[in-house]
Amino acid sequence: QVQLIESGGGLVQAGGSLRLSCAASGSTSRTYIMGWFRQPPGKERQFVASIRWHGGHTYYEDSVKGRFTISGDRYKNTVNLQMNGLETEDTATYYCAYGPYAIVSSISRQDAYTAWGQGAQVTVSS
């Protein structure tokens, strides 16, 4: 079983930057993916970004492209989300997620992920 521990987040003014980190422990598959989702206040959880270690491919939700960068170290089982140019609409609880299979067609779907972090609050003020 995989456990995820997140760190980072906080309060920042619009235009600022924050960095989220996530460390996975336990038995990970050889072809796993890691991703970030977020849940804005009063809304459903939504896909933000993910990384497929094989080939180093990254995927982003359209509204964060060019502002957010997902990166990490497969062998250390860590993933980061660098968030620049933050907007008030980015305010949400951010969740790290682990998926055992790198299936591109489902990489933005929550059901592709089997373990979740505890959540990190990101608040962007105007």
Side-chain angles (χ1 to χ4, degrees):
Q1 192 169 355
V2 174
Q3 292 82 41
L4 303 175
I5 300 296
E6 301 173 24
S7 60
L11 173 65
V12 66
Q13 287 189 327
S17 299
L18 284 173
R19 182 179 178 89
L20 299 175
S21 296
C22 177
S25 61
S27 180
T28 58
S29 76
R30 294 182 61 186
T31 58
Y32 73 100
I33 56 174
M34 291 190 77
W36 291 94
F37 287 74
R38 65 186 180 186
Q39 186 167 16
K43 297 184 179 180
E44 295 187 350
R45 191 157 56 184
Q46 56 193 221
F47 172 75
V48 176
S50 63
I51 186 165
R52 182 163 63 100
W53 297 121
H54 182 67
H57 297 286
T58 56
Y59 307 85
Y60 297 93
E61 193 270 329
D62 286 346
S63 70
V64 307
K65 285 180 181 177
R67 301 187 298 123
F68 291 13
T69 302
I70 187 170
S71 64
D73 187 319
R74 173 183 183 177
Y75 300 101
K76 293 182 179 179
N77 290 343
T78 58
V79 66
N80 305 304
L81 185 68
Q82 178 66 41
M83 304 180 289
N84 299 328
L86 282 161
E87 304 169 352
T88 55
E89 292 78 12
D90 296 317
T91 294
T93 302
Y94 284 70
Y95 296 91
C96 175
Y98 160 87
Y101 306 110
I103 302 174
V104 176
S105 61
S106 62
I107 209 162
S108 64
R109 289 171 41 182
Q110 294 186 54
D111 60 5
Y113 299 84
T114 58
W116 296 84
Q118 78 279 14
Q121 181 64 39
V122 171
T123 302
V124 185
S125 64
S126 59

